[in-house]
Amino acid sequence: MQLLLKSIFTCALFVIFVYATAQSLLKVQETEARQAYLNVTSSSSSNLSQDDVHFLSRRLRQATAGEEGDEGAPSQMDDELEQMTKVHAEAPDAEELRECSEGLVLPLWMPQRNISVGDRLVRGFVYFVLLIYLFVGVSIIADRFMAAIEAITSIERAVVVKGPNNTKQVMHVRIWNETVANLTLMALGSSAPEILLSVIEIYAKDFESGDLGPGTIVGSAAYNLFMIIAVCMIWIPAGEVRRIRHLRVFFVTALFSVFAYVWLWLILSVFTPGVILVWEAIVTLLFFPLTVLWAYIAERRLLVYKYMDKNYRVNKRGTVVAGEHDQVEMDAEKGPKQPMVTSARGNDAEAFDEARREYITLLTELRQKYPDADLEQLEMMAQEQVLARSSKSRAFYRIQATRKMVGSGNLMRKIQERAHSDLTEVKAQLHAGDDEEVDDPIRMYFEPGHYTVMENCGEFEVRVVRRGDISTYASVEYETQDGTASAGTDFVGRKGLLSFPPGVDEQRFRIEVIDDDVFEEDECFYIRLFNPSEGVKLAVPMIATVMILDDDHAGIFAFTDSVFEITESVGRFELKVMRYSGARGTVIVPYWTENDTATESKDYEGARGELVFENNESEKFIDLFILEESSYEKDVSFKVHIGEPRLAPDSTHYPKIKEVEKKPVQDLTELDRILLLSKPRNGELTTAYVRIRESQEFKATVDKLVAKANVSAVLGTSSWKEQFKDALTVIPADESEFDNDDEEEEVPSCFSYVSHFICLFWKVLFAFVPPTDICGGYVTFVVSIFVIGVITAIIGDAASYFGCALNIKDSVTAILFVALGTSIPDTFASMIAAKHDEGADNCIGNVTGSNAVNVFLGIGLAWTIAAVYHSSHGMTFNVEPGTIGFAVALFCGEALIAIMLIMFRRWHKGIGAELGGPKVSKYISAAILVFLWVFYVVICILEAYDVIRV
């Protein structure tokens, strides 16, 4: 589909080129024939002023075009025609057969006199091809310029906002307001060639007015407003719509975009016809900051609210921005109106939570879709999709369109790399503390710090480890200390020295336990480390606890604690059940789970069964499986119970105990009572609460990834190596951006290779531009705008030579060729934005804002320079209204029709949106806009060649 649209645009441009060329060459032949008859000297024109020359030149065009066919014309007209032809033949407006003047940068193709029609045709074709190649070059460097602007407008500062329970949270907020950035730097980035062309033309013509710069701005405005919006209307997928989110801002930019051209018409044709005064030029320029200020006021609602509150929110790109209220303006699209957030937390924390919930929801969907994938893979996929789905700036879509056109691949692939990089960086930050132990001093401690042994175990082994630098000799002393167990009766006391030679990181020693036949409670003793060698630090646990379990009792069974707190990412959790005060015989302990605030099969898998403690076995584990939902703030619990323990039928004491239980109480002997006391029983902790909390690592990962979910970083570059690698590599373009095809194109297409090699010169040349990571993008900004200026100067020369060779007027060249050449990348950028954005701001809002900025900044700056220059030399800056004045007036009328059509679509119940909607309505609306553009172009051409007289 993309290739089809490119072909349509190319064919349309070629047809216009052929038609204009044929008409101009016919004009050349007619003029050559007339020149033989009207070959008069120009000496009589010395008494005429420049304004008179302009007037007579226009009269001459009207006379030759409209009256030379009258056979019965009076002789007075012949006399007047003869008198008018005595005007200076080389005046700027006398373009019947003009000679090209030397340009500012591009050398002139000589010779200029006595050129045949075939020679003119060849020259015109060469200049036409050169123009296309220059348009490609300026589009590529303009994208580097846009990347620098994105880096500049992405600069952030830290602010403290209130989180849940009035907790303070540090967020990074963009310094640049989004509306201000769009109307200043973003507009400059997308319209830099048109603006610079207007300024450069003034300088190239010795501060005299020209048709190329203003004509390009007016022609580009018409194309943007009519054609780009028309294409975007029908490009929306079936059944979908796109609405303007910042409606107030759109009203302001739409008003100023129309007013800009009304103002041009006023100063050209009403206030001081044909003359631009200094104050008129300066006021034109000052309308630019006024537009930005008014749009900012509308966006921040400063005319509605008395106080300007510092509201921060996270936009769809995951970036915290200031003053965004687009959620209210999207109500008509998303459903009933929702009230403004008025909680104590404020819009900032609520918006951050919203972005976080969106990430969690996406992660949950991916978990259901890919149940076998691990959490890290899912996190990377979620981050990738968050970046891909998020709203993007105009810069992103502009660069995306250009990269696809010149064979540099798809930014969506770079988003995948960015998601992987973000996750790797976040994980590295979270585990940074694990690597910091390398520089710690030498530490010694017990591992483990607690030992549980049976009374009949004989001996057990104790382990002491060394961490840190193990390349040196170290030592530490140890000794046993009595607790409830006493040395000599329950264990054999010991004291000694542990030596750690270089390279050895652990040492072990053995402790002997004394067994007896007397029933006793569980007892414990301690082993402590002391007196380490120089440079060695004792770490916790420096004291080990040894619990001696009596093996003459069946045991008391209980959990080690009443509450266990685990993270939902633990997966499998082993809940320990301990056997105290004996370990004789085989004992069966039943267990089961019970819901509390957690739900079985949702938060955990229910468990029910029996634990079998073999003879002399002191602990067992209940396997609990936690179901991970990747919840951000989870806090639920369930209960685990153990039932009454019982001896296994094959146990040694089982028959004796059963026999004793049958005796009456009064008949029990002392040995019978001791035997009954040795029965297994439950301890105090027979119910354990398992509390499931969110994973702190997962929570930290989500916070950091949401903060990093900013596609602006994808547009920039970090090194020249990366830039040259991108310039020399052919990357396949993912056509799913344009077609509903989810399959990725693994191998570059033939078109990608052809585009790459055609544009290789520009790509390698612009790889020398400094990366955006240097000085926050400011160096790239300055270098790029300088390069754009140089290429734009060449475009101005080539366009002038092209029109001169084919005898096409500069105003027609500007409106048709230059305006289209500079606007084609914006067309494809708007198409991508229309398909993937939730709103229509990047398609419609930026068009109206850019049109206003182009006039106020592009024409205002150029005319201010020229007006001040002429005023300082005691002259006036003359601008013949001519075609430009007519084009401006015509555009104003058609722009009002287009804006009313857009608003009609928004408020019509059957459509309800500016873009998309029912198939019939969107095609009819698009056809109306296309007609307005075609009508505008045709009428302007007819007026330029005096077919229509105004």
Side-chain angles (χ1 to χ4, degrees):
M1 189 64 183
Q2 180 189 14
L3 186 61
L4 176 62
L5 288 173
K6 291 177 181 178
S7 302
I8 293 174
F9 277 113
T10 303
C11 292
L13 208 60
F14 181 74
V15 169
I16 295 173
F17 166 74
V18 171
Y19 174 78
T21 301
Q23 293 297 321
S24 300
L25 292 179
L26 288 175
K27 193 74 173 179
V28 168
Q29 291 179 331
E30 294 175 1
T31 305
E32 287 177 346
R34 285 201 309 273
Q35 206 171 33
Y37 176 73
L38 302 175
N39 188 18
V40 296
T41 62
S42 60
S43 57
S44 60
S45 66
S46 58
N47 295 328
L48 295 175
S49 66
Q50 185 69 21
D51 291 340
D52 294 332
V53 171
H54 288 186
F55 173 75
L56 293 178
S57 173
R58 190 167 182 81
R59 290 275 300 180
L60 175 61
R61 290 198 301 271
Q62 294 174 354
T64 56
E67 298 177 8
E68 70 177 349
D70 267 342
E71 296 180 0
S75 59
Q76 181 180 357
M77 177 58 68
D78 294 335
D79 295 339
E80 182 180 358
L81 179 61
E82 183 177 356
Q83 179 67 27
M84 290 166 60
T85 55
K86 294 180 181 180
V87 177
H88 195 278
E90 296 181 357
D93 285 334
E95 295 182 357
E96 277 68 29
L97 194 58
R98 64 178 184 177
E99 293 182 8
C100 303
S101 58
E102 188 71 31
L104 185 63
V105 180
L106 191 65
L108 185 61
W109 190 338
M110 302 300 290
Q112 287 295 304
R113 296 181 179 274
N114 300 322
I115 303 174
S116 65
V117 173
D119 196 359
R120 287 181 179 273
L121 185 60
V122 171
R123 292 188 182 192
F125 180 76
V126 171
Y127 285 131
F128 181 75
V129 173
L130 177 61
L131 274 174
I132 294 178
Y133 197 63
L134 289 171
F135 289 145
V136 173
V138 80
S139 177
I140 295 174
I141 187 60
D143 291 341
R144 298 301 311 278
F145 186 52
M146 294 287 277
I149 291 173
E150 185 75 9
I152 292 172
T153 56
S154 299
I155 297 175
E156 299 175 340
R157 62 184 177 90
V159 295
V160 179
V161 297
K162 290 183 179 180
N165 302 321
N166 290 327
T167 58
K168 292 184 178 180
Q169 184 177 6
V170 178
M171 293 183 179
H172 293 280
V173 184
R174 283 195 174 189
I175 296 176
W176 280 80
N177 175 271
E178 188 172 356
T179 296
V180 174
N182 285 337
L183 287 177
T184 53
L185 295 182
M186 289 295 179
L188 177 62
S190 61
S191 303
E194 296 98 316
I195 295 172
L196 290 177
L197 180 61
S198 179
V199 176
I200 292 172
E201 185 185 34
I202 287 291
Y203 174 78
K205 290 184 174 295
D206 295 328
F207 301 98
E208 297 293 341
S209 67
D211 289 334
L212 200 59
T216 299
I217 289 176
V218 178
S220 177
Y223 179 86
N224 292 344
L225 184 60
F226 304 137
M227 290 300 295
I228 289 183
I229 296 180
V231 172
C232 290
M233 275 185 184
I234 61 176
W235 192 248
I236 304 298
E240 297 183 15
V241 295
R242 302 290 186 270
R243 291 169 59 87
I244 296 174
R245 296 180 300 172
H246 304 287
L247 190 59
R248 297 183 307 279
V249 176
F250 170 75
F251 283 148
V252 172
T253 55
L255 173 65
F256 274 96
S257 66
V258 175
F259 171 75
Y261 294 94
V262 172
W263 174 256
L264 280 185
W265 174 74
L266 290 175
I267 62 176
L268 281 173
S269 305
V270 178
F271 295 158
T272 53
V275 177
I276 300 297
L277 302 180
V278 174
W279 74 267
E280 294 174 333
I282 293 177
V283 169
T284 303
L285 182 60
L286 290 179
F287 278 129
F288 167 64
L290 179 61
T291 304
V292 176
L293 177 61
W294 199 335
Y296 175 76
I297 290 174
E299 188 264 340
R300 293 303 302 270
R301 301 185 174 187
L302 298 185
L303 298 179
V304 179
Y305 297 105
K306 185 176 181 181
Y307 300 102
M308 182 176 65
D309 55 336
K310 290 290 185 180
N311 287 328
Y312 301 102
R313 66 179 290 273
V314 179
N315 62 14
K316 291 299 184 181
R317 292 183 287 162
T319 304
V320 185
V321 293
E324 295 297 320
H325 300 279
D326 58 345
Q327 69 273 17
V328 177
E329 297 179 14
M330 291 292 287
D331 287 340
E333 180 179 352
K334 294 187 175 181
K337 279 194 173 184
Q338 302 294 331
M340 290 290 293
V341 178
T342 58
S343 64
R345 299 185 61 198
N347 291 339
D348 40 24
E350 291 291 341
F352 195 82
D353 289 345
E354 180 186 353
R356 188 188 292 128
R357 287 192 294 269
E358 181 182 354
Y359 180 91
I360 298 298
T361 301
L362 184 58
L363 196 62
T364 303
E365 294 174 357
L366 290 172
R367 181 175 297 281
Q368 295 174 353
K369 187 176 182 180
Y370 305 101
D372 298 330
D374 58 34
L375 179 60
E376 186 167 338
Q377 290 177 320
L378 295 175
E379 286 175 337
M380 187 180 70
M381 294 167 64
Q383 180 72 355
E384 176 186 332
Q385 292 196 27
V386 165
L387 288 171
R389 294 181 181 182
S390 60
S391 296
K392 303 170 183 66
S393 67
R394 181 71 177 180
F396 178 89
Y397 293 118
R398 172 66 185 260
I399 295 174
Q400 169 78 322
T402 303
R403 287 177 68 92
K404 293 170 71 68
M405 291 172 63
V406 301
S408 294
N410 194 327
L411 282 178
M412 304 309 293
R413 296 176 181 269
K414 206 167 182 179
I415 283 181
Q416 297 174 359
E417 299 173 1
R418 177 71 187 184
H420 180 74
S421 173
D422 285 347
L423 184 61
T424 303
E425 182 181 346
V426 167
K427 294 295 185 183
Q429 291 175 357
L430 295 177
H431 296 90
D434 298 340
D435 301 329
E436 294 175 357
E437 298 180 356
V438 177
D439 298 330
D440 287 347
I442 302 173
R443 294 169 291 112
M444 287 186 183
Y445 53 90
F446 288 105
E447 189 178 82
H450 189 280
Y451 295 86
T452 301
V453 298
M454 301 304 301
E455 189 180 56
N456 63 351
C457 70
E459 290 184 341
F460 69 95
E461 193 173 60
V462 180
R463 179 170 176 256
V464 179
V465 298
R466 172 172 67 159
R467 294 292 180 261
D469 185 9
I470 63 172
S471 63
T472 60
Y473 176 85
S475 64
V476 67
E477 295 185 56
Y478 69 92
E479 67 176 359
T480 59
Q481 292 181 341
D482 290 352
T484 55
S486 301
T489 58
D490 297 307
F491 68 95
V492 177
R494 187 171 180 180
K495 181 179 181 179
L497 175 71
L498 297 177
S499 300
F500 293 79
V504 176
D505 62 355
E506 71 174 50
Q507 287 290 4
R508 305 187 183 201
F509 60 93
R510 303 186 71 82
I511 300 292
E512 183 181 351
V513 179
I514 300 174
D515 189 13
D516 57 40
D517 293 331
V518 180
F519 174 70
E520 299 173 307
E521 296 289 340
D522 295 341
E523 298 172 314
C524 67
F525 68 95
Y526 308 99
I527 311 170
R528 76 181 183 95
L529 299 176
F530 66 98
N531 196 21
S533 60
E534 186 179 355
V536 177
K537 178 182 178 182
L538 295 180
V540 177
M542 64 181 70
I543 297 178
T545 302
V546 182
M547 179 71 69
I548 301 176
L549 301 182
D550 190 277
D551 60 349
D552 299 317
H553 190 278
I556 299 174
F557 299 86
F559 293 110
T560 57
D561 202 349
S562 60
V563 178
F564 296 87
E565 186 169 303
I566 60 175
T567 61
E568 64 170 349
S569 61
V570 70
R572 176 171 173 251
F573 174 65
E574 294 181 340
L575 180 61
K576 183 187 289 188
V577 179
M578 291 296 301
R579 186 184 197 181
Y580 302 99
S581 301
R584 176 170 294 181
T586 303
V587 179
I588 299 173
V589 181
Y591 68 89
W592 65 94
T593 58
E594 180 186 352
N595 286 346
D596 187 32
T597 55
T599 304
E600 183 179 336
S601 301
K602 178 179 181 294
D603 300 306
Y604 70 98
E605 291 183 4
R608 181 179 292 273
E610 293 179 335
L611 298 176
V612 179
F613 286 79
E614 300 295 340
N615 188 42
N616 291 332
E617 193 172 15
S618 61
E619 61 183 30
K620 276 289 188 178
F621 296 93
I622 300 174
D623 289 335
L624 301 174
F625 293 93
I626 309 303
L627 303 178
E628 185 178 6
E629 296 180 304
S630 301
S631 299
Y632 182 79
E633 292 180 343
K634 189 171 190 175
D635 189 0
V636 295
S637 63
F638 64 96
K639 292 181 282 189
V640 183
H641 305 278
I642 57 173
E644 193 68 28
R646 66 183 188 275
L647 283 171
D650 58 350
S651 178
T652 304
H653 295 284
Y654 182 79
K656 295 181 180 179
I657 291 176
K658 286 297 182 182
E659 183 180 345
V660 171
E661 287 178 342
K662 294 179 182 178
K663 292 182 179 181
V665 176
Q666 62 273 17
D667 295 338
L668 294 177
T669 65
E670 187 64 26
L671 291 176
D672 291 340
R673 288 189 175 91
I674 293 175
L675 188 61
L676 290 176
L677 287 175
S678 68
K679 285 175 53 178
R681 65 179 186 271
N682 279 334
E684 294 181 359
L685 300 176
T686 59
T687 298
Y689 284 84
V690 180
R691 185 181 182 186
I692 307 174
R693 297 293 303 272
E694 76 282 349
S695 168
Q696 290 299 317
E697 179 178 343
F698 172 75
K699 186 175 182 179
T701 301
V702 171
D703 285 344
K704 291 180 179 293
L705 288 178
V706 169
K708 284 179 171 290
N710 182 2
V711 296
S712 62
V714 178
L715 305 182
T717 52
S718 58
S719 64
W720 273 285
K721 178 182 178 181
E722 179 185 354
Q723 294 182 170
F724 279 101
K725 181 181 178 181
D726 289 342
L728 297 172
T729 305
V730 184
I731 304 175
D734 185 5
E735 296 300 328
S736 63
E737 287 290 324
F738 289 89
D739 298 320
N740 294 326
D741 185 9
D742 295 332
E743 297 182 0
E744 294 187 357
E745 186 180 355
E746 298 295 338
V747 181
S749 63
C750 179
F751 177 80
S752 297
Y753 277 108
V754 172
S755 300
H756 171 75
F757 287 108
I758 290 177
C759 306
L760 185 61
F761 168 76
W762 295 120
K763 294 162 76 172
V764 173
L765 177 64
F766 299 147
F768 287 96
V769 175
T772 55
D773 281 5
I774 298 178
C775 297
Y778 286 99
V779 177
T780 311
F781 179 90
V782 174
V783 174
S784 297
I785 199 169
F786 172 77
V787 177
I788 291 175
V790 173
I791 299 178
T792 302
I794 301 175
I795 288 177
D797 292 345
S800 181
Y801 295 163
F802 167 76
C804 179
L806 299 179
N807 207 43
I808 301 176
K809 296 180 181 296
D810 282 347
S811 58
V812 177
T813 302
I815 291 174
L816 271 181
F817 300 104
V818 184
L820 263 65
T822 57
S823 299
I824 292 299
D826 286 327
T827 303
F828 291 104
S830 296
M831 290 164 59
I832 298 175
K835 186 174 182 180
H836 295 279
D837 258 8
E838 291 185 358
D841 298 75
N842 275 323
C843 308
I844 300 178
N846 279 335
V847 166
T848 55
S850 179
N851 287 351
V853 170
N854 284 357
V855 173
F856 296 142
L857 186 58
I859 296 180
L861 180 60
W863 284 2
T864 298
I865 294 173
V868 170
Y869 174 83
H870 282 279
S871 178
S872 63
H873 289 76
M875 300 181 295
T876 59
F877 176 48
N878 299 319
V879 179
E880 181 185 0
T883 302
I884 298 301
F886 176 78
V888 164
L890 179 61
F891 174 78
C892 288
E894 293 193 351
L896 289 174
I897 297 175
I899 293 174
M900 286 190 293
L901 174 64
I902 293 171
M903 290 298 98
F904 171 78
R905 288 177 51 83
R906 180 184 180 93
W907 289 317
H908 190 277
K909 292 183 179 180
I911 304 174
E914 290 83 356
L915 303 180
K919 185 174 182 180
V920 175
S921 64
K922 71 179 181 181
Y923 275 97
I924 292 176
S925 302
I928 293 174
L929 294 176
V930 171
F931 171 78
L932 290 176
W933 182 72
V934 173
F935 181 79
Y936 168 82
V937 170
V938 171
I939 295 300
C940 285
I941 293 176
L942 294 177
E943 194 280 335
Y945 287 101
D946 297 314
V947 176
I948 297 177
R949 301 179 185 180
V950 293

